[in-house]
């Protein structure tokens, strides 16, 4: 049964509904609190606020997902989209803890699907807090079903620093995730940290071209590498990978991998996949948390189409693009 909770017109009521539902959403056959037969949202809010702490511990998580700014304004438990007249994107809003849980679940699903279909899973990582959320993968009850030996791991961007440097995306991923799972080292494709940025970018693109030729990485209709899943974060300025607002590299449409020596955010020297490669992916998970990024989220998803789009707003996918937001990052989306 689809669990449906009505939202009122005002942004204040919408936010109240999210807060209540995130803390006490139900997923049991015994309860009808979230049933579409409920007569009012007020009853739902009142009941949730009275839940004893002992009852909370027994609840299984049922994510609340916001379905559009349409006339109905309904919050739907299993519908996963945010839409208006001119665009449509999959956006899911969770508590920060459940961002990690649901992301891990979806990554595991993608892994099993692609390994079953083609015998390998190509996944592209980012830096930042995303690795912390990815750690939940090893805590899943079905984690043992993941065939780590078939994983091939890449990076969407990297700082040109030694691999043991605190600013290294490789070190972040290794310490927080890769060291905890049995992915063969030969299947982990980090940059050559002995090279300058331009040389490291050339070598990484050569590696990708070899893996495309060998059939490890699929090819898009436009001839770019087509990874199975890309996990992207976003900065407060709306940058993704090392593609920053108003930087010329955003418009690069020929190279697979490029470099930057004047990054607005230190360290200055980096390599990055370009937008044609990012947007050729079969699936993209855009993971953004924290109220400090709510302005960039709003601009990327609902900004003026006549203005220059933030890099995050330029992300698309040949398959599915899904945004995973926590309440803080999504907060401006529910303001009129």
């Amino acid at each position: 049964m689809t669990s449906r909770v009505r939202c009122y017109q005002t942004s204040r009521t919408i936010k109240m509904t999210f807060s209540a539902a995130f803390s006490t959403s139900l997923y049991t056959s015994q309860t009808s609190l979230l049933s579409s037969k409920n007569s009012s949202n007020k009853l739902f809010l009142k009941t949730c606020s009275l839940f004893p702490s002992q009852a909370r511990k027994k609840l299984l998580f049922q994510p609340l997902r916001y379905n559009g700014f349409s006339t109905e304004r309904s919050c739907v438990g299993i519908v996963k989209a945010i839409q208006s007249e001119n665009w449509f994107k999959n956006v899911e809003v969770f508590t920060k803890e459940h961002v990690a849980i649901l992301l891990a679940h979806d990554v595991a699903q993608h892994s099993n699907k692609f390994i079953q279909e083609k015998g390998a899973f190509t996944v592209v990582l980012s830096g930042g807090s995303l690795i912390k959320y990815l750690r939940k993968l090893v805590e899943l009850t079905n984690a043992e079903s993941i065939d780590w030996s078939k994983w091939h791991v890449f990076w969407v961007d990297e700082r040109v620093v030694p691999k043991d440097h605190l600013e290294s995306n490789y070190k972040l991923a290794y310490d927080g995730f890769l060291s905890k799972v049995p992915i063969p080292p030969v299947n982990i494709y980090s940059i050559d940290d002995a090279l300058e940025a331009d040389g490291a970018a050339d070598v990484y693109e050569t590696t990708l071209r070899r893996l495309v030729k060998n059939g490890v990485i699929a090819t898009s209709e436009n001839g770019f590498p087509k990874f199975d899943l890309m996990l992207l974060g976003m900065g407060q300025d709306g940058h993704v990978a090392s593609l920053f607002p108003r930087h010329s590299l955003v418009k690069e449409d020929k190279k697979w991998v490029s470099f930057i020596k004047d990054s607005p955010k230190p360290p200055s020297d980096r390599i990055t996949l370009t937008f044609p490669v990012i947007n050729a992916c079969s699936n993209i998970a855009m993971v953004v948390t924290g109220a400090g990024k709510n302005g960039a989220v709003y601009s990327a998803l609902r900004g003026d189409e006549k203005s220059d789009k933030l890099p995050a707003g330029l992300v698309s996918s040949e398959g599915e693009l899904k945004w995973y937001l926590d309440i803080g990052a999504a907060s401006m989306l529910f303001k009129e």
Side-chain angles (χ1 to χ4, degrees):
M1 177 184 295
T2 300
S3 298
R4 183 180 298 270
V5 182
R6 299 281 297 184
C7 287
Y8 286 86
Q9 293 289 336
T10 66
S11 59
R12 179 182 178 186
T13 306
I14 291 173
K15 286 187 286 185
M16 287 176 61
T17 305
F18 277 114
S19 299
F22 286 136
S23 61
T24 60
S25 295
L26 307 179
Y27 193 67
T28 64
S29 58
Q30 290 76 21
T31 180
S32 61
L33 279 177
L34 292 184
S35 170
S36 58
K37 295 181 180 179
N38 282 346
S39 58
S40 74
N41 194 47
K42 293 181 180 178
L43 175 61
F44 168 74
L45 289 171
K46 181 178 179 181
T47 305
C48 285
S49 65
L50 296 176
F51 268 11
S53 58
Q54 294 84 355
R56 290 176 190 268
K57 295 179 181 179
K58 299 178 182 179
L59 302 179
L60 299 177
F61 176 65
Q62 168 70 7
L64 179 66
R65 298 164 184 186
Y66 189 74
N67 183 30
F69 292 83
S70 62
T71 306
E72 288 292 322
R73 299 289 181 94
S74 57
C75 300
V76 183
I78 62 172
V79 176
K80 50 183 181 181
I82 187 167
Q83 58 188 330
S84 72
E85 294 179 359
N86 299 321
W87 47 265
F88 181 97
K89 294 186 179 181
N90 285 343
V91 179
E92 304 193 356
V93 183
F94 311 103
T95 61
K96 188 168 293 188
E97 177 187 0
H98 290 119
V99 167
I101 294 172
L102 270 293
L103 177 66
H105 171 78
D106 287 353
V107 172
Q109 293 289 99
H110 285 303
S111 171
N112 294 337
K113 172 181 178 291
F114 283 102
I115 290 173
Q116 183 177 9
E117 290 178 356
K118 62 189 187 70
F121 179 52
T122 57
V123 58
V124 185
L125 305 181
S126 300
S129 58
L130 189 144
I131 297 300
K132 177 178 65 177
Y133 301 140
L134 198 57
R135 279 205 301 262
K136 283 288 184 182
L137 262 176
V138 300
E139 301 173 13
L140 293 177
T141 56
N142 62 340
E144 294 181 356
S145 68
I146 299 175
D147 189 349
W148 300 106
S149 69
K150 299 296 194 299
W151 276 47
H152 294 262
V153 178
F154 305 84
W155 276 263
V156 68
D157 72 326
E158 179 59 286
R159 294 85 181 269
V160 184
V161 295
K163 287 186 176 67
D164 59 355
H165 194 282
L166 289 177
E167 295 284 354
S168 168
N169 282 342
Y170 170 84
K171 175 178 172 56
L172 179 67
Y174 182 82
D175 291 348
F177 173 61
L178 296 176
S179 62
K180 306 178 188 307
V181 293
I183 299 174
V186 70
N187 289 359
I188 299 174
Y189 305 91
S190 59
I191 73 164
D192 189 337
D193 59 354
L195 300 175
E196 297 294 326
D198 53 349
D202 288 342
V203 169
Y204 207 66
E205 179 164 334
T206 298
T207 299
L208 297 185
R209 290 185 180 276
R210 173 175 57 83
L211 294 170
V212 167
K213 184 177 181 180
N214 294 343
V216 174
I217 304 174
T219 308
S220 72
E221 294 180 357
N222 295 325
F224 291 100
K226 185 174 184 176
F227 297 100
D228 299 328
L229 175 64
M230 181 172 290
L231 302 168
L232 285 179
M234 184 194 74
Q236 289 190 10
D237 61 354
H239 82 268
V240 294
S242 286
L243 300 168
F244 293 90
R246 295 174 294 281
H247 195 282
S248 59
L249 197 55
V250 170
K251 298 181 180 180
E252 172 61 55
D253 60 359
K254 298 293 190 298
K255 294 181 178 179
W256 293 6
V257 186
S258 192
F259 65 94
I260 181 173
K261 286 181 171 289
D262 57 350
S263 167
K265 183 179 179 181
S268 59
D269 291 11
R270 303 165 175 234
I271 75 166
T272 181
L273 300 185
T274 59
F275 265 123
V277 175
I278 292 173
N279 292 342
C281 287
S282 293
N283 299 275
I284 298 177
M286 180 75 77
V287 184
V288 187
T289 59
K293 299 180 180 181
N294 61 8
V297 168
Y298 181 88
S299 296
L301 290 175
R302 292 183 59 80
D304 185 355
E305 293 185 354
K306 296 180 181 179
S307 62
D308 291 338
K309 281 187 175 293
L310 293 178
L314 299 174
V315 176
S316 62
S317 172
E318 289 194 1
E320 181 180 54
L321 166 62
K322 185 185 293 185
W323 287 66
Y324 298 75
L325 306 176
D326 73 349
I327 301 171
S331 57
M332 284 189 67
L333 293 174
F334 310 115
K335 294 182 178 181
E336 294 296 331

